[in-house]
């Protein structure tokens, strides 16, 4: 198997196109996710040649990878077998729902503390990315927000990946809210343009494709760093 994943990074490079870098136990993968398709774009190995840069449905691409000996399809039972936090499916679904809407405004990546939090909490790091940058010229941790999702609420905590211990306390003067958009808006944590993008539902096919891929690969629950 190729999970738990070491770490991952997700960001939009256009209004309806995202790049997911997924670092597995054996191989690093780069996927392009668009409206109605997903592509493997870095399949340098010969066994991936027939699917590299080929637009496929999320389930079809992952099925083809499985035939090549790559398993990116975790199940709930795998968490117990691997000895990692068995994240609640409702928390994962909540995170996927909000992050699919936020990806056009934010670069989103895994946190090393996600597996240290209770199973009802999922933690990611986010940084505003209105220019659709694939990479940032400067990388400062203070520019990243630690967002924690539960089944019915979202909050922002003090956790930093550079720290040696987990600080799971909520950011001062903030409260949890029913959605990521409300959390960011009520607490003045991002720009008006970013909030407008989160509320813009015009790319519904893109959102749905991304949702399916995240739901199948389960990167939010099966990452170590």
């Amino acid at each position: 198997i190729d999970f738990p994943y070491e770490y991952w990074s997700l960001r939009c490079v256009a209004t309806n196109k995202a790049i997911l870098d997924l670092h597995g136990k054996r191989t690093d993968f780069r996927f392009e996710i668009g409206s109605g398709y997903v592509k493997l774009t870095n399949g340098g190995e010969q066994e991936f040649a027939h699917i590299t840069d080929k637009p496929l449905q999320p389930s079809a691409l992952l099925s083809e990878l499985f035939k090549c000996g790559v398993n990116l399809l975790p199940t709930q039972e795998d968490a117990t077998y691997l000895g990692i936090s068995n994240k609640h499916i409702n928390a994962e679904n909540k995170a996927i729902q909000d992050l699919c809407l936020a990806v056009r405004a934010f670069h989103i990546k895994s946190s090393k503390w996600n597996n240290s939090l209770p199973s009802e909490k999922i933690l990611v790091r986010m940084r505003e990315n209105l220019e659709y940058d694939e990479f940032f010229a400067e990388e400062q941790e203070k520019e990243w927000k630690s967002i924690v999702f539960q089944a019915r609420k979202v909050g922002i905590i003090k956790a930093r990946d550079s720290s040696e211990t987990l600080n799971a306390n909520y950011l001062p003067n903030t409260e949890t809210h029913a959605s990521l958009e409300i959390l960011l808006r009520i607490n003045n944590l991002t720009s008006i343009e970013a909030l407008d993008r989160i509320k813009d539902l015009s790319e519904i096919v893109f959102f749905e494709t991304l949702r399916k891929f995240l739901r199948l690969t389960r990167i939010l629950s099966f990452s170590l760093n």
Side-chain angles (χ1 to χ4, degrees):
I1 60 176
D2 295 86
F3 51 82
Y5 312 113
E6 292 297 323
Y7 62 95
W8 55 267
S9 177
L10 175 68
R11 64 280 193 200
C12 269
V13 293
T15 187
N16 60 357
K17 182 168 70 175
I19 299 296
L20 172 65
D21 286 321
L22 183 58
H23 300 265
K25 291 181 65 176
R26 299 180 297 170
T27 309
D28 294 343
F29 300 94
R30 171 167 287 197
F31 297 101
E32 177 186 311
I33 305 162
S35 296
Y37 74 90
V38 181
K39 291 195 297 185
L40 174 68
T41 63
N42 71 330
E45 303 295 332
Q46 183 61 36
E47 60 263 37
F48 303 143
H50 65 295
I51 54 174
T52 300
D53 289 322
K54 181 179 180 180
L56 294 168
Q57 289 290 318
S59 58
L61 176 56
L62 294 170
S63 176
E64 289 295 327
L65 284 170
F66 190 84
K67 293 175 184 177
C68 296
V70 175
N71 184 357
L72 301 180
L73 294 164
T75 66
Q76 203 75 1
E77 292 73 24
D78 289 323
T80 302
Y81 170 75
L82 294 167
I84 63 174
S85 180
N86 196 343
K87 297 295 185 181
H88 288 188
I89 198 68
N90 289 339
E92 184 178 4
N93 287 336
K94 172 60 177 173
I96 290 173
Q97 174 186 325
D98 281 11
L99 293 176
C100 285
L101 299 178
V103 70
R104 294 194 302 157
F106 290 90
H107 189 137
I108 306 159
K109 60 183 179 180
S110 56
S111 169
K112 75 175 187 180
W113 298 117
N114 182 47
N115 196 46
S116 299
L117 288 174
S119 57
E120 67 269 16
K121 294 183 177 181
I122 287 179
L123 179 65
V124 301
R125 292 183 293 159
M126 298 175 55
R127 176 179 172 179
E128 196 170 290
N129 184 29
L130 298 177
E131 302 300 322
Y132 297 132
D133 292 323
E134 187 170 351
F135 304 101
F136 293 117
E138 297 183 0
E139 190 71 48
Q140 298 186 38
E141 190 171 23
K142 65 181 182 180
E143 296 177 342
W144 293 84
K145 298 175 177 63
S146 293
I147 305 296
V148 62
F149 293 89
Q150 298 182 67
R152 292 183 174 85
K153 58 185 180 179
V154 188
I156 180 169
I157 63 175
K158 294 182 177 181
R160 289 194 172 190
D161 273 24
S162 61
S163 301
E164 294 184 2
T165 57
L166 167 63
N167 187 342
N169 294 319
Y170 288 105
L171 213 60
N173 303 315
T174 66
E175 298 178 351
T176 57
H177 292 276
S179 73
L180 177 62
E181 186 273 328
I182 297 174
L183 171 74
L184 298 174
R185 173 166 50 83
I186 295 296
N187 294 292
N188 297 313
L189 294 172
T190 195
S191 67
I192 295 298
E193 184 177 352
L195 293 172
D196 287 342
R197 288 192 189 181
I198 294 174
K199 292 183 289 185
D200 179 5
L201 304 180
S202 59
E203 298 292 345
I204 191 67
V205 177
F206 168 67
F207 297 146
E208 181 61 14
T209 307
L210 178 58
R211 185 195 67 80
K212 288 179 180 178
F213 198 64
L214 296 182
R215 186 69 191 87
L216 289 167
T217 56
R218 304 202 61 189
I219 63 173
L220 297 174
S221 294
F222 283 81
S223 296
L224 298 178
N225 296 291

